Coordinates of all heavy atoms in Angstrom, one line a residue:
I76 N -13.8 12.0 16.6 CA -15.0 11.2 16.7 C -15.1 10.6 18.1 O -16.2 10.6 18.7 CB -15.0 10.0 15.7 CG1 -15.1 10.6 14.2 CG2 -16.1 9.0 15.9 CD1 -14.9 9.5 13.2
L77 N -14.0 10.2 18.7 CA -14.0 9.6 20.0 C -14.4 10.7 21.0 O -15.1 10.4 22.0 CB -12.6 9.1 20.3 CG -12.4 8.4 21.7 CD1 -13.4 7.2 21.8 CD2 -11.0 8.0 21.9
L78 N -13.9 11.9 20.9 CA -14.2 13.0 21.8 C -15.7 13.4 21.7 O -16.3 13.5 22.8 CB -13.4 14.3 21.4 CG -13.6 15.5 22.3 CD1 -13.3 15.2 23.7 CD2 -12.8 16.7 21.8
G79 N -16.2 13.4 20.5 CA -17.7 13.7 20.3 C -18.5 12.6 21.0 O -19.5 12.9 21.6
T80 N -18.1 11.4 20.8 CA -18.9 10.3 21.4 C -18.8 10.3 22.9 O -19.9 10.1 23.6 CB -18.3 8.9 20.9 OG1 -18.3 8.9 19.5 CG2 -19.1 7.7 21.5
L81 N -17.7 10.7 23.5 CA -17.6 10.8 25.0 C -18.4 11.9 25.5 O -19.1 11.8 26.6 CB -16.1 11.0 25.4 CG -15.2 9.8 25.2 CD1 -13.8 10.1 25.5 CD2 -15.7 8.6 26.0
I82 N -18.5 13.0 24.8 CA -19.3 14.1 25.2 C -20.8 13.7 25.1 O -21.6 14.1 26.0 CB -19.1 15.4 24.3 CG1 -17.7 15.9 24.5 CG2 -20.1 16.5 24.6 CD1 -17.3 17.0 23.6
A83 N -21.2 13.0 24.1 CA -22.6 12.5 24.0 C -22.9 11.6 25.1 O -24.1 11.6 25.7 CB -22.8 11.8 22.6
I84 N -22.0 10.7 25.5 CA -22.3 9.8 26.7 C -22.4 10.6 27.9 O -23.3 10.3 28.8 CB -21.1 8.8 26.8 CG1 -21.1 7.9 25.6 CG2 -21.2 8.1 28.1 CD1 -19.9 6.9 25.6
K85 N -21.6 11.7 28.1 CA -21.7 12.6 29.2 C -23.1 13.3 29.3 O -23.7 13.4 30.4 CB -20.6 13.6 29.2 CG -20.6 14.6 30.4 CD -20.3 13.9 31.7 CE -20.2 14.9 32.8 NZ -20.0 14.3 34.1
V86 N -23.6 13.7 28.1 CA -24.9 14.3 28.1 C -26.0 13.4 28.5 O -27.0 13.8 29.1 CB -25.2 14.9 26.6 CG1 -26.6 15.3 26.4 CG2 -24.2 16.0 26.3
L87 N -25.9 12.1 28.2 CA -26.9 11.1 28.5 C -26.7 10.6 30.0 O -27.4 9.7 30.4 CB -26.8 9.9 27.6 CG -27.2 10.2 26.1 CD1 -26.9 9.0 25.2 CD2 -28.7 10.6 26.0
N88 N -25.7 11.2 30.7 CA -25.4 10.8 32.1 C -25.1 9.3 32.2 O -25.4 8.6 33.1 CB -26.6 11.1 33.0 CG -26.9 12.6 33.1 OD1 -26.0 13.4 33.2 ND2 -28.2 13.0 33.1
L89 N -24.4 8.8 31.1 CA -24.0 7.4 31.1 C -22.5 7.2 31.3 O -22.0 6.1 31.2 CB -24.4 6.8 29.7 CG -25.9 6.7 29.4 CD1 -26.1 6.1 28.0 CD2 -26.6 5.8 30.5
D90 N -21.8 8.3 31.7 CA -20.4 8.2 31.9 C -20.0 7.3 33.0 O -19.1 6.6 33.0 CB -19.8 9.6 32.1 CG -20.5 10.4 33.1 OD1 -21.8 10.2 33.3 OD2 -19.9 11.3 33.8
Q91 N -20.8 7.4 34.1 CA -20.5 6.6 35.3 C -20.7 5.1 34.9 O -20.0 4.2 35.4 CB -21.3 7.0 36.5 CG -21.0 8.4 37.0 CD -19.6 8.5 37.5 OE1 -19.0 7.5 38.0 NE2 -19.0 9.6 37.4
V92 N -21.8 4.9 34.2 CA -22.1 3.5 33.7 C -21.0 3.0 32.9 O -20.5 1.8 33.0 CB -23.4 3.4 33.0 CG1 -23.7 2.0 32.4 CG2 -24.6 3.9 33.9
L93 N -20.5 3.8 32.0 CA -19.4 3.4 31.1 C -18.1 3.1 31.9 O -17.5 2.1 31.6 CB -19.1 4.6 30.1 CG -17.9 4.3 29.1 CD1 -18.2 3.1 28.2 CD2 -17.6 5.6 28.3
F94 N -17.8 3.9 32.8 CA -16.6 3.7 33.6 C -16.7 2.4 34.4 O -15.8 1.6 34.6 CB -16.3 4.9 34.6 CG -15.9 6.1 33.8 CD1 -16.3 7.4 34.3 CD2 -15.2 6.1 32.6 CE1 -15.9 8.5 33.6 CE2 -14.8 7.2 32.0 CZ -15.2 8.4 32.4
S95 N -17.9 2.2 34.9 CA -18.2 0.9 35.7 C -18.0 -0.3 34.8 O -17.5 -1.3 35.2 CB -19.6 1.0 36.3 OG -19.7 2.1 37.2
V96 N -18.6 -0.2 33.6 CA -18.4 -1.3 32.7 C -17.0 -1.6 32.3 O -16.5 -2.7 32.3 CB -19.3 -1.0 31.4 CG1 -19.0 -2.1 30.3 CG2 -20.8 -1.0 31.7
L97 N -16.2 -0.5 32.0 CA -14.8 -0.6 31.7 C -14.0 -1.2 32.9 O -13.1 -2.0 32.7 CB -14.3 0.7 31.3 CG -14.8 1.3 29.9 CD1 -14.2 2.7 29.7 CD2 -14.5 0.4 28.8
A98 N -14.4 -0.8 34.1 CA -13.7 -1.3 35.2 C -14.0 -2.7 35.5 O -13.1 -3.5 36.0 CB -14.0 -0.4 36.5
G99 N -15.2 -3.2 35.1 CA -15.6 -4.5 35.4 C -15.5 -5.5 34.2 O -16.2 -6.5 34.2
V100 N -14.8 -5.1 33.2 CA -14.8 -5.9 32.0 C -14.2 -7.3 32.3 O -14.7 -8.3 31.9 CB -14.0 -5.1 30.9 CG1 -13.5 -6.1 29.8 CG2 -14.8 -4.1 30.3
G101 N -13.0 -7.3 32.9 CA -12.4 -8.6 33.3 C -12.1 -9.5 32.1 O -11.5 -9.2 31.1
I102 N -12.7 -10.8 32.2 CA -12.4 -11.8 31.2 C -13.0 -11.4 29.8 O -12.4 -11.6 28.8 CB -13.1 -13.1 31.6 CG1 -12.4 -13.6 32.9 CG2 -12.9 -14.2 30.6 CD1 -13.0 -14.9 33.5
A103 N -14.2 -10.7 29.9 CA -14.8 -10.2 28.6 C -13.8 -9.3 27.9 O -13.7 -9.3 26.7 CB -16.1 -9.5 28.9
G104 N -13.1 -8.4 28.7 CA -12.2 -7.5 28.0 C -11.0 -8.2 27.4 O -10.5 -7.9 26.4
L105 N -10.6 -9.3 28.1 CA -9.5 -10.1 27.5 C -10.0 -10.8 26.2 O -9.2 -10.8 25.2 CB -9.1 -11.2 28.5 CG -7.9 -12.1 28.1 CD1 -6.7 -11.2 28.0 CD2 -7.7 -13.2 29.2
A106 N -11.2 -11.2 26.2 CA -11.7 -11.8 24.9 C -11.8 -10.8 23.8 O -11.5 -11.1 22.7 CB -13.1 -12.4 25.2
I107 N -12.3 -9.6 24.2 CA -12.4 -8.5 23.2 C -11.0 -8.2 22.7 O -10.8 -7.9 21.5 CB -13.1 -7.3 23.8 CG1 -14.5 -7.6 24.1 CG2 -13.0 -6.1 22.9 CD1 -15.3 -6.5 24.8
G108 N -10.0 -8.2 23.6 CA -8.6 -7.9 23.2 C -8.1 -8.9 22.2 O -7.5 -8.5 21.2
F109 N -8.4 -10.1 22.4 CA -8.0 -11.1 21.4 C -8.7 -10.9 20.1 O -8.1 -11.1 19.0 CB -8.3 -12.6 21.9 CG -7.2 -13.1 22.8 CD1 -7.5 -13.3 24.2 CD2 -6.0 -13.3 22.4 CE1 -6.5 -13.8 25.0 CE2 -5.0 -13.8 23.2 CZ -5.2 -14.0 24.6
A110 N -10.0 -10.5 20.1 CA -10.8 -10.3 18.9 C -10.2 -9.2 18.1 O -10.3 -9.2 16.9 CB -12.2 -10.1 19.3
F111 N -9.7 -8.2 18.8 CA -9.2 -7.0 18.1 C -7.7 -6.9 18.0 O -7.2 -5.8 17.7 CB -9.8 -5.7 18.8 CG -11.3 -5.5 18.5 CD1 -12.2 -6.0 19.4 CD2 -11.7 -4.8 17.4 CE1 -13.6 -5.8 19.2 CE2 -13.1 -4.7 17.2 CZ -14.0 -5.2 18.1
Q112 N -7.0 -8.0 18.3 CA -5.6 -7.9 18.3 C -5.0 -7.6 16.9 O -4.0 -6.9 16.8 CB -5.0 -9.2 18.8 CG -5.3 -10.4 18.0 CD -4.6 -11.7 18.6 OE1 -3.8 -11.6 19.5 NE2 -5.1 -12.8 18.2
D113 N -5.7 -8.1 15.8 CA -5.2 -7.8 14.5 C -5.3 -6.3 14.2 O -4.4 -5.7 13.6 CB -6.0 -8.6 13.5 CG -5.6 -10.1 13.5 OD1 -4.5 -10.4 14.0 OD2 -6.3 -10.9 13.0
I114 N -6.4 -5.7 14.6 CA -6.6 -4.3 14.4 C -5.5 -3.5 15.1 O -4.9 -2.6 14.6 CB -8.0 -3.8 14.8 CG1 -9.1 -4.5 14.0 CG2 -8.1 -2.3 14.8 CD1 -10.5 -4.2 14.4
A115 N -5.3 -3.9 16.4 CA -4.3 -3.2 17.2 C -2.9 -3.4 16.6 O -2.1 -2.4 16.5 CB -4.3 -3.7 18.6
S116 N -2.5 -4.6 16.2 CA -1.2 -4.8 15.6 C -1.0 -4.1 14.3 O 0.1 -3.6 14.0 CB -1.0 -6.3 15.4 OG -2.0 -6.9 14.5
N117 N -2.1 -4.0 13.5 CA -2.0 -3.2 12.2 C -1.8 -1.7 12.5 O -1.0 -1.0 11.8 CB -3.2 -3.4 11.4 CG -3.2 -4.8 10.7 OD1 -2.2 -5.3 10.3 ND2 -4.4 -5.4 10.6
F118 N -2.5 -1.2 13.5 CA -2.3 0.2 13.9 C -0.9 0.5 14.4 O -0.3 1.5 14.0 CB -3.3 0.5 15.0 CG -3.2 1.9 15.6 CD1 -3.7 3.0 14.9 CD2 -2.6 2.1 16.8 CE1 -3.5 4.3 15.3 CE2 -2.4 3.4 17.3 CZ -2.9 4.5 16.6
I119 N -0.4 -0.4 15.3 CA 1.0 -0.2 15.8 C 2.0 -0.3 14.7 O 2.9 0.5 14.6 CB 1.3 -1.2 16.9 CG1 0.3 -1.0 18.1 CG2 2.7 -1.2 17.4 CD1 0.4 -2.1 19.2
A120 N 1.8 -1.3 13.8 CA 2.7 -1.5 12.7 C 2.7 -0.2 11.8 O 3.8 0.2 11.3 CB 2.4 -2.7 11.9
G121 N 1.5 0.3 11.5 CA 1.4 1.5 10.7 C 2.1 2.7 11.3 O 2.8 3.5 10.7
T122 N 2.0 2.8 12.7 CA 2.6 3.9 13.4 C 4.1 3.8 13.3 O 4.8 4.8 13.0 CB 2.2 3.9 14.9 OG1 0.7 4.0 14.9 CG2 2.8 5.1 15.6
V123 N 4.6 2.6 13.5 CA 6.1 2.4 13.4 C 6.6 2.7 12.0 O 7.6 3.3 11.8 CB 6.5 0.9 13.9 CG1 7.9 0.7 13.6 CG2 6.1 0.7 15.3
L124 N 5.9 2.2 11.0 CA 6.3 2.4 9.6 C 6.4 3.8 9.3 O 7.3 4.3 8.6 CB 5.4 1.6 8.7 CG 5.4 0.1 8.6 CD1 4.3 -0.4 7.8 CD2 6.8 -0.3 8.0
V125 N 5.4 4.6 9.7 CA 5.4 6.0 9.4 C 6.4 6.8 10.1 O 7.1 7.7 9.5 CB 4.0 6.6 9.7 CG1 4.0 8.1 9.6 CG2 2.9 6.0 8.7
F126 N 6.7 6.5 11.4 CA 7.6 7.4 12.2 C 9.0 6.9 12.2 O 9.9 7.7 12.7 CB 7.1 7.4 13.6 CG 5.9 8.3 13.8 CD1 4.6 7.8 13.8 CD2 6.0 9.7 13.9 CE1 3.5 8.6 14.0 CE2 4.9 10.5 14.0 CZ 3.6 10.0 14.1
R127 N 9.3 5.7 11.7 CA 10.7 5.3 11.7 C 11.5 6.1 10.7 O 11.1 6.5 9.7 CB 10.8 3.8 11.4 CG 10.3 3.4 10.0 CD 10.3 1.9 9.7 NE 11.6 1.4 9.7 CZ 11.8 0.1 9.3 NH1 10.8 -0.7 9.1 NH2 13.1 -0.3 9.3
K128 N 12.8 6.3 11.1 CA 13.7 7.2 10.3 C 14.0 6.6 8.9 O 14.0 7.2 7.9 CB 15.0 7.5 11.0 CG 14.8 8.4 12.3 CD 16.1 8.7 13.0 CE 15.9 9.6 14.2 NZ 17.1 9.9 14.9
D129 N 14.3 5.2 9.0 CA 14.6 4.5 7.7 C 13.3 4.0 7.1 O 13.2 2.8 6.8 CB 15.6 3.4 8.0 CG 15.1 2.4 9.1 OD1 14.3 2.8 9.9 OD2 15.6 1.3 9.1
Y130 N 12.3 4.9 6.9 CA 11.0 4.5 6.3 C 11.2 3.8 5.0 O 11.9 4.3 4.1 CB 10.2 5.8 6.2 CG 8.7 5.5 5.9 CD1 7.9 4.9 6.8 CD2 8.2 5.8 4.7 CE1 6.6 4.6 6.6 CE2 6.8 5.6 4.4 CZ 6.1 5.0 5.4 OH 4.8 4.7 5.1
P131 N 10.6 2.6 4.8 CA 10.9 1.8 3.6 C 10.3 2.4 2.3 O 10.8 2.1 1.2 CB 10.3 0.5 3.9 CG 9.3 0.8 4.9 CD 9.7 1.9 5.7
F132 N 9.3 3.2 2.4 CA 8.6 3.7 1.2 C 7.8 4.9 1.5 O 7.4 5.2 2.7 CB 7.8 2.7 0.5 CG 6.8 2.0 1.3 CD1 5.6 2.6 1.7 CD2 7.0 0.7 1.8 CE1 4.6 2.0 2.5 CE2 6.1 0.1 2.6 CZ 4.9 0.7 2.9

Side-chain angles (χ1 to χ4, degrees):
I76 294 175
L77 182 61
L78 178 61
T80 304
L81 291 176
I82 294 175
I84 292 175
K85 179 67 176 179
V86 169
L87 294 174
N88 294 322
L89 297 176
D90 50 330
Q91 295 298 327
V92 176
L93 177 63
F94 293 146
S95 299
V96 170
L97 292 177
V100 160
I102 298 177
L105 186 61
I107 294 174
F109 278 113
F111 287 94
Q112 63 178 344
D113 285 341
I114 296 177
S116 60
N117 286 323
F118 174 79
I119 295 172
T122 304
V123 174
L124 286 173
V125 170
F126 284 99
R127 62 186 292 186
K128 293 182 179 179
D129 54 338
Y130 191 66
F132 53 78

